[in-house]
Amino acid sequence: MNKFMSLSEAVTRHVHDEASVALEGFTHLIPHAAAHEIIRQQRKNLTLVRMTPDIIYDQMIGMGCVSKVIFSYAGNPGVGLLRRMRDAIENGWPNTLKTEEHSHSAMANAWEAGAAGLPLAVFRGYRGAQLASVNPNIRSLTCPFTGEKLAAVPALAPDVSIIHAQKASAKGDILIEGIIGVQKEAALAGKKTIVTVEEKVDNFDDIHPNLCVLPGWSVDAICVVPGGAHPSYTHGYYRRDNAAYLEWDKISADREQFLKWMDDNVINASPEDFAGRIEGLMQ
Amino acid sequence: MSKTDFTPDEMMTIAASRVLKNSDVCFVGIGAPSAACNIARLTHAPDITLIYESGTIGTTPDVLPLSIGDGELCDTALTTVSVPEMFRYWLQGGHVSIGFLGAAQLDRFGNINTTVIGDYENPKVRLPGGGGAPEIATSAQEIFITIKQSKRALVEKIDFVTSLGHGNGGDERLTKYQVKTKGPTLMVTDLAIWKPDPVTKEFTVTSLHHNVKKSDVQDTCGWEVKFANSLDETPVPTQLELTTLRDLKARTKKAHAA
């Protein structure tokens, strides 16, 4: 089956209202183009999963697509706070937002458990941490061998996982390089997986045997979107647009300004526009 | 150069850098810790292993990363592992000697809040949250903290315990929470160096930075400060330390504005 399709078609086919959706990428390879497509298609009441909501979820939350976020660090990395997410949590704008908050260690373990098909993740964590008293999904169990009390959280297995990657081969295999984050775990844990890539190449005949590759049969849709991670980055293609992250702090500070920016850059734009946004950032 | 030709922030970063050893394996928090760790690497500890939670091990960035996952960290690292591997094998597995953390709010026992100001369900300010810190705080062999002093930051009671320090003091870390690592053993601020009392585990000022008075420390701290009987004066930055820091900051600013 040919899994190559337009981003518009992939989102129409796999991302539905009220679904749980993970758009992952640990600072690197964040699938911004896919998020913008979801915003344009006006999906509602999504439960979003992501370790670091970053400005990608700030935008989706501010545009009213989201009713709940499962996360472990809600900042604009190195810059400050996520102003649209804060506005939703503190003031209910544009709608109220439920949150389920974890630590990175818990989320990373939960992704791995999801990829492994387990119902829960077990790890040594949350000791003395107050999150355990405000999140009922943080529990504990006792090791049957040593008696040690360990933290337990549910595995992550969203309806759809969406990641960005460097390359797809003509057969639809996916290559991920650089900071690989939880890309493989999210892709395998999702019931459906959409991958956006920088480019399609003939084959992977010359790559190193230990590189991170997702076989084509393990994903559901592949969309070629050059620049699709911007203002995040794609290792080997273009660097992180740190100036855009700094600028976002100002854009997102005001509701009207935010809406105008979204209108200009998302609603009245297309996946093809991303290629132009990385021109000054190419490596 | 006169003896006072540096800012309190520069003194803080440089004093924090000096506590790191060449043999350390240091899990680096973003912000102030990142600057301190890289100054250590660029001056007295060239072989230090710096780890960022994005999975980069042994990274040697030329400019400070804006985020914990800038490409610079991966490009200059010995190796880059997945985030689950980072937290499960390297951190939880006990391979990290120092966790270097910042804080929004902190109490006298080194418990850290980076989650909310006010009530959790109805916060006055929603801060970013814990990220890697809750498990760094308990799995790294010991914790260094760096923070700029103010009555909003150093408080009698933190609004939320994001990351465990010494709990309510004494040996509570071990007895109440079964955490076997040392926890906070050092705090470097813009005014002083603090170490926990061996018994109570309350942070105690052991060294004042140049030209800092006891009253300066007390006026910017929300609890009644304890001072060691014999107080040291932190050596002022050397020319090499200052130049290295200023060059790094200038390179960083230029890179992020590009």
Side-chain angles (χ1 to χ4, degrees):
Chain A
M1 193 175 85
N2 183 16
K3 292 174 180 175
F4 287 94
M5 63 185 77
S6 71
L7 185 53
S8 164
E9 187 185 349
V11 168
T12 302
R13 198 183 281 193
H14 295 299
V15 182
H16 307 298
D17 286 353
E18 301 184 10
S20 56
V21 183
L23 296 104
E24 269 294 4
F26 203 82
T27 306
H28 179 217
L29 297 173
I30 300 176
H32 274 272
H36 288 186
E37 185 58 36
I38 292 170
I39 291 169
R40 274 193 296 275
Q41 294 196 20
Q42 296 178 24
R43 290 295 177 276
K44 297 285 177 203
N45 293 318
L46 300 176
T47 291
L48 293 184
V49 184
R50 220 184 117 71
M51 294 183 68
T52 61
D54 206 276
I55 70 181
I56 188 176
Y57 282 7
D58 216 31
Q59 295 174 350
M60 295 177 80
I61 291 165
M63 293 302 281
C65 302
V66 188
S67 58
K68 182 179 177 183
V69 181
I70 300 174
F71 72 101
S72 49
Y73 179 87
N76 179 344
V79 179
L81 308 167
L82 290 176
R83 300 185 183 281
R84 295 298 95 224
M85 184 168 171
R86 271 187 66 187
D87 201 13
I89 292 173
E90 294 171 15
N91 308 309
W93 192 92
N95 52 264
T96 55
L97 184 69
K98 288 185 200 146
T99 59
E100 178 179 332
E101 184 170 5
H102 286 281
S103 66
H104 277 350
S105 185
M107 292 278 285
N109 276 280
W111 273 128
E112 200 181 60
L118 288 169
L120 86 168
V122 178
F123 62 108
R124 189 179 292 117
Y126 284 132
R127 290 186 180 178
Q130 204 174 334
L131 264 188
S133 68
V134 296
N135 178 352
N137 268 346
I138 300 171
R139 302 192 191 178
S140 63
L141 49 72
T142 303
C143 171
F145 305 104
T146 63
E148 184 179 4
K149 192 177 159 193
L150 296 162
V153 294
L156 288 169
D159 295 323
V160 193
S161 286
I162 305 175
I163 60 167
H164 190 70
Q166 272 85 0
K167 292 176 173 66
S169 71
K171 288 198 297 183
D173 300 325
I174 306 294
L175 174 66
I176 308 170
E177 291 180 286
I179 290 174
I180 53 178
V182 292
Q183 300 300 78
K184 182 190 268 185
E185 289 77 11
L188 295 179
K191 294 182 186 74
K192 296 285 181 186
T193 299
I194 300 172
V195 185
T196 56
V197 294
E198 289 297 326
E199 64 174 329
K200 186 176 174 181
V201 297
D202 291 341
N203 59 64
F204 287 164
D205 291 352
D206 296 329
I207 65 172
H208 188 278
N210 296 114
L211 286 185
C212 182
V213 171
L214 291 170
W217 46 262
S218 67
V219 304
D220 297 282
I222 306 163
C223 317
V224 180
V225 186
H230 178 270
S232 170
Y233 69 104
T234 300
H235 184 99
Y237 288 79
Y238 49 94
R239 58 188 168 77
R240 191 173 190 261
D241 191 349
N242 280 333
Y245 275 86
L246 291 163
E247 186 65 21
W248 183 252
D249 199 46
K250 296 176 199 141
I251 295 161
S252 61
D254 173 79
R255 291 173 185 172
E256 294 305 316
Q257 196 171 250
F258 160 75
L259 289 171
K260 174 157 191 339
W261 191 94
M262 293 302 289
D263 221 39
D264 294 345
N265 295 281
V266 178
I267 303 300
N268 296 307
S270 73
E272 287 71 36
D273 292 324
F274 277 82
R277 294 172 187 162
I278 57 166
E279 271 170 9
L281 302 161
M282 305 287 271
Q283 290 176 324
Chain B
M1 188 181 65
S2 89
K3 234 186 153 190
T4 55
D5 190 15
F6 54 87
T7 67
D9 271 2
E10 287 174 332
M11 182 71 250
M12 173 167 74
T13 304
I14 288 166
S17 77
R18 291 175 184 156
V19 300
L20 292 163
K21 298 191 300 293
N22 208 28
S23 57
D24 278 330
V25 176
C26 181
F27 205 116
V28 184
I30 202 66
S34 179
C37 292
N38 280 288
I39 293 302
R41 181 178 61 78
L42 294 167
T43 55
H44 66 278
D47 298 325
I48 190 170
T49 297
L50 301 184
I51 293 179
Y52 288 72
E53 64 194 15
S54 53
T56 51
I57 297 178
T59 184
T60 57
D62 186 48
V63 300
L64 292 174
L66 183 66
S67 77
I68 43 72
D70 280 22
E72 172 85 4
L73 294 173
C74 179
D75 284 334
T76 63
L78 172 65
T79 184
T80 298
V81 301
S82 75
V83 167
E85 178 176 329
M86 174 53 64
F87 281 95
R88 286 176 68 78
Y89 300 0
W90 298 98
L91 179 63
Q92 181 179 259
H95 303 287
V96 172
S97 64
I98 308 286
F100 215 135
L101 300 175
Q105 252 190 355
L106 163 143
D107 68 19
R108 69 182 74 200
F109 298 114
N111 302 296
I112 288 174
N113 174 21
T114 52
T115 305
V116 288
I117 303 298
D119 179 58
Y120 184 78
E121 298 297 341
N122 192 10
K124 227 182 290 173
V125 182
R126 174 65 238 200
L127 301 168
E135 280 75 25
I136 296 172
T138 52
S139 288
Q141 298 308 317
E142 60 187 306
I143 298 298
F144 296 164
I145 297 166
T146 181
I147 187 171
K148 198 171 172 172
Q149 286 200 208
S150 77
K151 284 200 165 169
R152 285 172 61 188
L154 274 57
V155 297
E156 178 69 34
K157 187 173 174 11
I158 58 178
D159 290 347
F160 194 88
V161 184
T162 308
S163 306
L164 179 69
H166 294 289
N168 289 311
D171 58 359
E172 197 173 282
R173 197 176 154 87
L174 178 64
T175 54
K176 188 169 176 185
Y177 300 107
Q178 288 78 52
V179 176
K180 292 173 183 167
T181 52
K182 288 183 197 160
T185 54
L186 186 81
M187 172 162 73
V188 180
T189 70
D190 49 335
L191 302 178
I193 294 173
W194 308 55
K195 288 180 183 168
D197 178 273
V199 177
T200 67
K201 300 290 164 69
E202 175 174 341
F203 267 127
T204 305
V205 175
T206 59
S207 179
L208 293 172
H209 299 340
H210 181 69
N211 273 350
V212 173
K213 298 189 293 291
K214 280 185 176 179
S215 59
D216 298 330
V217 177
Q218 183 61 73
D219 290 347
T220 50
C221 180
W223 67 81
E224 197 183 320
V225 179
K226 290 203 168 66
F227 294 89
N229 292 332
S230 65
L231 267 178
D232 296 328
E233 180 180 319
T234 314
V236 297
T238 65
Q239 186 66 55
L240 173 69
E241 286 170 330
L242 264 184
T243 307
T244 307
L245 175 60
R246 287 173 184 174
D247 287 354
L248 177 65
K249 293 263 180 176
R251 283 200 303 277
T252 300
K253 194 173 174 191
K254 194 174 162 206
H256 294 170

